[in-house]
Amino acid sequence: MTAIDPRTVTLLTGVMSGLMAVVLYTLKRNYPSSVRGLGRWSFTLAVLFAGGVLVSGRGLLPDLLTISLSNLLLWLGLYLGYTGTQQFFGVPSRTWYWLALILALALVQTWFAVGAPDYRVRLVLTTTMTALLTGAHAWLVFRQGAFTFARVLTACVLATMAIIQLLRLGTISSIPPGAEFLSSDPIQLVYVATFAFVMLLFSVSVVLLATEQLHTELQYQAGHDSLTHALTRRRMNEACVKELERCHRHGRHMAVLLIDLDHFKMVNDTWGHQAGDQVLLRFASEVNGLLRQPDLLGRQGGEEFLVLLPETTLDEALCVAERIRESCARQGQTPNYTASIGVTTNHKDTDTVDSLLARADAAMYRAKAHGRNRVESA
């Protein structure tokens, strides 16, 4: 008597998939909508659960259900997982191509299940399609770049599944006559148990992918203003501290620009707060388009913004400030707006971020006192 019952392993695989489907669906309900793919991954495991239950009923239910439908559910489940990953990474899918192939092979599979029963032919079809789906899925994850632990694990799990299916193709000739999926042949048992283990790893890997994405988004939200996507005051202060320390160590120059939008309260009172938000968005977008890659834009609060310019002299900073002022002044959209800008650079080794910001603030208020829509330096 064999120590492993293929029917039990198959049923447990299905049950495990069903439980993980519930886990992923729960994550979908609780994670922000920006973490995509969880719904399809959950549906993937639910479909595989249904397929596993049908396979375990082999001999108790009609072959059309336990062979044809179960294999169709296997392929559809794997394809749904593939589309879930496409959705997660924002990759467009070509649904018709894969579905046409799956349906065509399912019809052929049905013929060799109930028309002219042949387990070896069915096994060739099943392993080939499974290898194609998992191989394409692994390649999709691999092509996304950033090799984080979750992405590497997901790609390796899927690639392993594809390789196992290819190895299984190579052993089909050794299957004894009259064998079936639930036979206790040792090689068959190895493949059934391996598939169960790999599916568990796949479930874990997509949970890690979603958690990793959530962590990245939370980090971004913690450091960026929710409206303008400029850096928060705290994150901007940290960046200024680091840059000033670097300037002290290496004798470099840095500049800061403190920018205040003129008469912004009037914009809100006249046009409404929604229009005021649009002005802030336009301003942040315009300024980001004028800055270099190392430069940083932060929102200090309300309509006040701070720009950090590493490796920048006072003359260079004044040119940047003037470009920003001119860009604001020539806005053709309504409501229009102007900006008053205070500019300063680090003067000596005893400078602190507070002293830099105090000088920039004083320069900015001089710009307002001298008529607004101008640049002053300190």
Side-chain angles (χ1 to χ4, degrees):
M1 175 181 285
T2 179
I4 302 177
D5 177 20
R7 189 187 303 274
T8 301
V9 173
T10 303
L11 182 59
L12 288 176
T13 302
V15 171
M16 177 190 68
S17 297
L19 292 174
M20 290 305 297
V22 174
V23 170
L24 284 169
Y25 182 73
T26 303
L27 291 180
K28 179 184 181 298
R29 294 288 301 271
N30 291 280
Y31 277 26
S33 59
S34 55
V35 181
R36 298 167 296 179
L38 285 168
R40 293 191 186 182
W41 285 333
S42 174
F43 197 32
T44 291
L45 296 173
V47 171
L48 292 177
F49 162 71
V53 171
L54 286 177
V55 171
S56 64
R58 186 80 51 92
L60 304 174
L61 299 172
D63 288 347
L64 192 63
L65 296 178
T66 61
I67 298 176
S68 302
L69 183 56
S70 66
N71 278 308
L72 177 61
L73 290 176
L74 167 66
W75 297 337
L76 287 176
L78 293 176
Y79 177 64
L80 281 170
Y82 178 65
T83 62
T85 303
Q86 287 179 317
Q87 190 178 59
F88 178 81
F89 289 116
V91 177
S93 59
R94 295 192 301 174
T95 303
W96 67 269
Y97 176 85
W98 282 106
L99 288 182
L101 182 59
I102 288 172
L103 292 175
L105 288 183
L107 290 175
V108 177
Q109 180 86 275
T110 300
W111 171 252
F112 287 104
V114 296
D118 191 321
Y119 174 63
R120 290 188 180 184
V121 174
R122 295 201 309 270
L123 191 55
V124 168
L125 293 173
T126 301
T127 53
T128 300
M129 191 62 202
T130 303
L132 282 174
L133 286 166
T134 53
H137 200 161
W139 179 241
L140 169 66
V141 178
F142 179 79
R143 285 189 295 114
Q144 300 312 308
F147 295 113
T148 63
F149 174 76
R151 295 189 185 189
V152 170
L153 176 63
T154 306
C156 288
V157 166
L158 292 165
T160 299
M161 190 184 298
I163 292 170
I164 289 172
Q165 297 305 310
L166 294 176
L167 291 174
R168 193 178 190 188
L169 276 175
T171 61
I172 287 177
S173 60
S174 65
I175 296 176
E180 279 293 336
F181 179 78
L182 296 180
S183 65
S184 58
D185 179 70
I187 295 179
Q188 180 75 355
L189 291 174
V190 168
Y191 285 123
V192 171
T194 302
F195 183 81
F197 180 68
V198 170
M199 285 309 303
L200 174 61
L201 284 180
F202 173 74
S203 304
V204 171
S205 68
V206 295
V207 170
L208 290 176
L209 273 178
T211 304
E212 186 178 81
Q213 178 69 19
L214 177 64
H215 179 68
T216 300
E217 292 204 5
L218 290 176
Q219 278 190 320
Y220 180 87
Q221 292 172 9
H224 291 78
D225 174 57
S226 60
L227 174 63
T228 64
H229 301 291
L231 292 176
T232 60
R233 184 171 189 153
R234 177 180 176 181
R235 186 62 59 84
M236 198 65 179
N237 188 71
E238 292 172 353
C240 288
V241 168
K242 289 181 181 178
E243 184 59 28
L244 187 57
E245 289 175 351
R246 193 182 70 85
C247 290
H248 288 167
R249 286 195 305 270
H250 304 292
R252 303 290 188 177
H253 293 285
M254 64 174 283
V256 293
L257 280 57
L258 194 60
I259 308 171
D260 189 84
L261 302 188
D262 298 325
H263 302 299
F264 189 73
K265 184 177 184 301
M266 186 182 300
V267 172
N268 281 332
D269 292 344
T270 304
W271 300 92
H273 288 278
Q274 188 172 3
D277 288 347
Q278 290 303 311
V279 166
L280 295 175
L281 279 169
R282 280 161 46 198
F283 171 78
S285 176
E286 189 73 19
V287 172
N288 277 320
L290 297 172
L291 298 180
R292 304 166 301 179
Q293 193 276 331
D295 302 335
L296 297 175
L297 172 67
R299 187 179 181 189
Q300 296 295 92
E303 69 275 18
E304 192 172 277
F305 292 82
L306 181 69
V307 174
L308 170 62
L309 304 174
E311 299 289 342
T312 305
T313 64
L314 181 59
D315 288 341
E316 292 168 338
L318 287 170
C319 290
V320 174
E322 188 59 31
R323 285 200 300 270
I324 293 174
R325 187 201 64 78
E326 290 178 354
S327 175
C328 294
R330 66 169 178 263
Q331 287 283 328
Q333 300 182 47
T334 301
N336 54 9
Y337 62 93
T338 59
S340 298
I341 306 175
V343 182
T344 192
T345 59
N346 59 313
H347 289 173
K348 50 197 173 186
D349 290 344
T350 56
D351 254 343
T352 64
V353 171
D354 287 341
S355 64
L356 272 172
L357 294 181
R359 289 201 302 273
D361 189 61
M364 185 263 291
Y365 273 101
R366 279 202 307 275
K368 285 190 172 293
H370 292 163
R372 294 183 170 83
N373 187 27
R374 60 184 291 122
V375 176
E376 293 283 348
S377 63

